[in-house]
Amino acid sequence: MTRRGSPCRAPIVAGKTRCRMHGGAGGSGAPAGNQNALKHGRFTREAMAERRALRALIREASETLARIEKS
């Protein structure tokens, strides 16, 4: 698509459904086994649950310290 939203007017590559600039050329796209697409783990369910539990523990410790200081 162009910036206007109309389809690209470049000729379609033989045997493909797109032009050479938008995915029809051989070898276009990400390489097989692309290592750049791997997740780093920061937003996995386990990591997020661990951070939530740690924040709750810190909050509880802060409240306990505040109660001790008042006494």
Side-chain angles (χ1 to χ4, degrees):
M1 298 297 245
T2 63
R3 291 182 186 184
R4 284 182 161 175
S6 58
C8 175
R9 296 179 65 189
I12 293 172
V13 174
K16 302 283 186 159
T17 59
R18 295 181 180 246
C19 73
R20 66 183 173 84
M21 295 169 281
H22 295 109
S28 63
N34 184 2
Q35 295 297 306
N36 295 327
L38 295 176
K39 296 284 184 182
H40 48 69
R42 183 173 183 188
F43 296 104
T44 59
R45 281 192 186 103
E46 294 83 18
M48 289 169 60
E50 188 176 331
R51 286 194 300 273
R52 259 186 248 115
L54 186 59
R55 280 194 301 268
L57 185 62
I58 291 170
R59 190 177 316 114
E60 186 179 330
S62 295
E63 291 169 0
T64 303
L65 283 172
R67 273 189 254 124
I68 291 172
E69 287 176 355
K70 283 184 181 179
S71 300

